[in-house]
Amino acid sequence: MTIATLEAIPTSYTPRWLTPVLLLGIAYLIIPLVGTSYLFEAILLPFLALSLAGVGLNILTGYAGQVSLGSAAFLAVGAFAAYNFNLRIDGLPILGSIFLSGVVAAAIGIVFGLPSLRLRGFYLAVSTLAAQFFVQWALTKFSWFSNNSASGVIDAPPLSIAGVEFNSAVGRYLFSLTIVAVLTFLAYRLVLSQTGRNFIAVRDNETAARIIGVPVLKTKLIAFGVSSFVIGIAGVLWAFAYLRTVEPAGFNLDRSFQILFIIIIGGLASIRGAFFGAALLVVTPLILSRVGSFLLGDFFDSGVLDMSQRIVLGGLIILFLILEPDGLVSFWDRIRKRTTTRLLRQ
Amino acid sequence: MLDFDWQFFLEVLIGGLLSGVMYSLVALGFVLVYKTSGVLNFAQGAMLLFAALTFVSLVEKGIPFALALAITFGVMVAIGIAIERVVLRPLTNRPPMTLFMATLGLSYILEGAAQLIWGTQVHGLDLGIDDIPFEVGGVLISQFDLFAASVAAVLVLLLSIFFRYTRIGLAFRAVADDQFAALAVGLRLPWIWATVWAVAGLVALVAGLLWGARLGVQFSLSLVVLKALPVLVLGGFDSIPGAIVGGLLIGATEKLAEVYIGEYFGGGIESWFAYVVALAFLLIRPSGIFGQKLVERV
């Protein structure tokens, strides 16, 4: 068999929609039955929120090529906006406040995206830090945002849609899963659309994009807006479904880097990549703490754990950049291709 | 504004300028690496923390000041060489953004390692200079700030001489100008990069000691990078004079803003004010005050 035919075989037998539908089937029907509350609280809920944030950042950084170091700011904007909409507008359903909080995050994202019209590369990356510090400062400083609670802590409202409660671990999981699934599908459609092509054109060569008639400035602002919208809603899930109690200090620079790491490790410019990256980043610390306390016993306290986590995370980033620059996604695809061809050959 | 207190204004201004020098000191390390390898080295702050923490721990173990300084410098050189070997070399010819992200990972490793080895508690660092303000013409000036400023001045002077009059400095400038041409005339890029990172390590050590004496040696020391970044944006990533002037500008405006308009915002604006100043400036001049390349401009 020649190499050319080998490469043509693999994925063409399964239709495009099959894998996502299968995964969703498992996620909706099987996991709620077999999952323990530890699985939901410690793994799946943070995984879903971070994946969605990764999808959002990937639209901006992976597809449109604008590196942002301020994602956590938009998570915070989403969380606090939803809290306030829910608190201050009577009778607004929870989905309404979630949607509006996305809109607020998008608006603020566009404002902080304005420097991208003048700046590129490192200068832009540094300027997105302004969003990070400004938002965190504003949320801590003005207690109106947190309804005058001490140090800006907010508690999540109960989640219910049309009288159905989603407050148990499983309920919050299903709630998050649905929102993540819908937004991921929309993001997937977006990157295949004309707008998505424009993103890629702007990323790959701005001058060329302008020449073929892509409205560069508008495209950049759309990327900032859409990305912040998605990240804002991820922030709502992080605050309402996962942690239930958040404060502005939780949305610090480390969180921004975490989301950036998710898309680097998962794969830039890949919707699936965000999920791969988030899975790795959620599970690694858990495994590390288990292995560490098993091997080192008492020496392995939370301080040591924290530091070794930093080292492992940093090492992973460098390792991926060197060995697998296209992320876990391309690693996964290679393995799948290899196994399919091997299976077909036998 | 009739009875505007000029003396107080001057005091704030000078205090700001002197603290700006401290920012410049950190920014200098960035500029060195950026000039020669085009990498925005986010790990500079982590290197600063690592150097200061190593030095303090050695001194606390009873090792004399000078020896501890020498050992720490040796460690920073070793780290510089290791970074070139393990991180930069495999990433040659990758986009600058990839290298930047690698330095993000690097900063995580260095921060984690520094605290894993030396512990997370706060160390006091006494350089033997009292932080007692003295009076010049009715204006109070901190002795320590003045000392820091002169150290920075000496460092900049040394670096300028080094860049201008030595063979290595010439090689650095050649690489900064054109990597391919430098390679073509036979300069060994890996060796040059390792040297640059070692020099950046030295700058980190000096900055780490000064900042450490001011804030105490602890994790938050690595966050001074965030103070240096607006300085870099303002001065241009590739300009040593830019780092100095940018630092002075940011330091001065930040202090003045904190004192005069801070109250209208409820205080604490220094976390983001420098960024706003830098951004406002960039809207007018996208390559900073002294930045030379306009390639990254829209």
Side-chain angles (χ1 to χ4, degrees), chain B residues 270-285:
Chain B
E270 76 270 3
S271 68
W272 53 268
F273 189 76
Y275 284 90
V276 174
V277 172
L279 277 182
F281 189 85
L282 283 184
L283 287 179
I284 305 161
R285 267 193 70 106

Side-chain angles (χ1 to χ4, degrees), chain A residues 133-152:
Chain A
F133 297 123
F134 182 79
V135 167
Q136 220 182 332
W137 171 82
L139 291 178
T140 321
K141 206 77 214 173
F142 302 109
S143 51
W144 181 83
F145 289 118
S146 50
N147 202 22
N148 300 321
S149 84
S151 71

Side-chain angles (χ1 to χ4, degrees), chain A residues 61 67 69 114-123 125-127 129-130 133-134 137-138 141-142 206 210 217 220 253-255 257-258 260-261 264 268 303-304 307-315 317-318 321-323 325, chain B residues 34 38-40 42 86-87 90-91 94 96-98 100-102 104-106 108-109 111-113 115-116 120 219 226 229-230 232-233 236-237 265-269 271-272 275 279 282-287 295-298:
Chain A
T61 301
V67 173
L69 303 175
L114 286 175
S116 72
L117 306 184
R118 285 283 271 180
L119 308 175
R120 271 204 239 166
F122 293 134
Y123 287 92
V126 170
S127 77
L129 282 173
F133 297 123
F134 182 79
W137 171 82
K141 206 77 214 173
F142 302 109
E206 220 175 285
R210 182 164 300 154
L217 302 186
K220 281 184 180 175
L253 193 60
D254 270 349
R255 183 79 56 222
F257 286 157
Q258 188 182 25
L260 185 64
F261 289 166
I264 298 174
L268 287 168
V304 176
M307 291 310 132
S308 38
Q309 258 177 31
R310 283 187 98 78
I311 297 179
V312 168
L313 189 59
I317 293 296
I318 295 177
L321 287 173
I322 293 174
L323 297 178
Chain B
Y34 189 85
V39 182
L40 177 59
F42 198 85
V86 181
V87 181
L91 288 174
R94 291 284 190 77
M97 219 28 112
T98 307
F100 166 69
M101 290 171 184
L104 265 183
L106 200 60
Y108 268 58
I109 295 182
E111 282 165 16
Q115 296 181 84
L116 202 58
T120 47
F219 174 70
L226 302 174
L229 287 172
L232 286 168
V233 168
F237 285 127
F265 289 98
I269 61 173
S271 68
W272 53 268
Y275 284 90
L279 277 182
L282 283 184
L283 287 179
I284 305 161
R285 267 193 70 106
S287 54
V295 183
E296 290 285 89
R297 208 183 64 164
V298 178

Side-chain angles (χ1 to χ4, degrees), chain B residues 43 46-47 49-50 79 83 105-115:
Chain B
M47 282 164 66
L49 171 74
F50 198 98
I79 289 179
I83 289 173
L106 200 60
S107 74
Y108 268 58
I109 295 182
L110 284 176
E111 282 165 16
Q115 296 181 84

Side-chain angles (χ1 to χ4, degrees), chain A:
Chain A
M1 219 186 273
T2 65
I3 296 163
T5 47
L6 266 180
E7 278 178 351
I9 291 169
T11 46
S12 53
Y13 289 130
T14 54
R16 231 168 221 286
W17 50 266
L18 191 66
T19 325
V21 167
L22 271 180
L23 283 176
L24 275 181
I26 295 172
Y28 270 109
L29 301 174
I30 299 177
I31 289 179
L33 292 179
V34 297
T36 60
S37 95
Y38 176 80
L39 178 73
F40 292 120
E41 299 277 2
I43 298 177
L44 289 175
L45 283 169
F47 163 73
L48 284 170
L50 288 176
S51 302
L52 190 60
V55 169
L57 184 61
N58 227 338
I59 291 175
L60 182 65
T61 301
Y63 286 94
Q66 316 290 311
V67 173
S68 162
L69 303 175
S71 320
F74 301 111
L75 285 179
V77 168
F80 279 79
Y83 172 77
N84 278 298
F85 279 124
N86 193 65
L87 183 78
R88 292 172 206 282
I89 302 180
D90 275 333
L92 184 69
I94 192 90
L95 285 179
S97 24
I98 291 179
F99 177 78
L100 286 178
S101 71
V103 174
V104 171
I108 292 179
I110 290 174
V111 171
F112 281 103
L114 286 175
S116 72
L117 306 184
R118 285 283 271 180
L119 308 175
R120 271 204 239 166
F122 293 134
Y123 287 92
L124 177 65
V126 170
S127 77
T128 56
L129 282 173
Q132 173 68 47
F133 297 123
F134 182 79
V135 167
Q136 220 182 332
W137 171 82
L139 291 178
T140 321
K141 206 77 214 173
F142 302 109
S143 51
W144 181 83
F145 289 118
S146 50
N147 202 22
N148 300 321
S149 84
S151 71
V153 180
I154 54 168
D155 289 312
L159 302 175
S160 68
I161 299 171
V164 185
E165 299 273 338
F166 288 96
N167 292 315
S168 64
V170 185
R172 281 178 282 136
Y173 160 74
L174 290 172
F175 186 85
S176 299
L177 180 64
T178 310
I179 291 180
V180 171
V182 170
L183 280 177
T184 304
F185 177 71
L186 292 177
Y188 175 72
R189 296 297 302 168
L190 176 78
V191 298
L192 291 180
S193 70
Q194 175 68 49
T195 315
R197 302 293 183 223
N198 287 353
F199 288 166
I200 293 170
V202 168
R203 176 195 68 192
D204 286 347
N205 191 331
E206 220 175 285
T207 316
R210 182 164 300 154
I211 288 169
I212 58 170
V214 174
V216 171
L217 302 186
K218 198 176 125 198
T219 303
K220 281 184 180 175
L221 289 185
I222 291 177
F224 268 97
V226 173
S227 155
S228 308
F229 179 86
V230 176
I231 296 177
I233 289 182
V236 183
L237 294 184
W238 180 264
F240 285 13
Y242 169 47
L243 285 177
R244 307 289 287 158
T245 303
V246 289
E247 52 176 338
F251 299 101
N252 56 14
L253 193 60
D254 270 349
R255 183 79 56 222
S256 291
F257 286 157
Q258 188 182 25
I259 296 166
L260 185 64
F261 289 166
I262 282 176
I263 65 171
I264 298 174
I265 289 181
L268 287 168
S270 154
I271 297 286
R272 284 179 303 159
F275 290 86
F276 280 99
L280 191 73
L281 248 63
V282 167
V283 172
T284 311
L286 298 175
I287 294 177
L288 204 63
S289 81
R290 287 284 163 86
V291 173
S293 54
F294 177 73
L295 290 180
L296 299 171
D298 287 339
F299 173 71
F300 207 77
D301 56 15
S302 66
V304 176
L305 172 68
D306 218 36
M307 291 310 132
S308 38
Q309 258 177 31
R310 283 187 98 78
I311 297 179
V312 168
L313 189 59
L316 271 178
I317 293 296
I318 295 177
L319 210 65
F320 266 93
L321 287 173
I322 293 174
L323 297 178
E324 199 65 70
D326 294 327
L328 274 172
V329 164
S330 82
F331 182 65
W332 169 258
D333 282 346
R334 236 185 9 255
I335 287 182
R336 207 177 51 170
K337 206 173 215 173
R338 202 170 295 162
T339 42
T340 354
T341 40
R342 195 161 297 163
L343 284 178
L344 286 175
R345 206 184 286 165
Q346 280 163 359

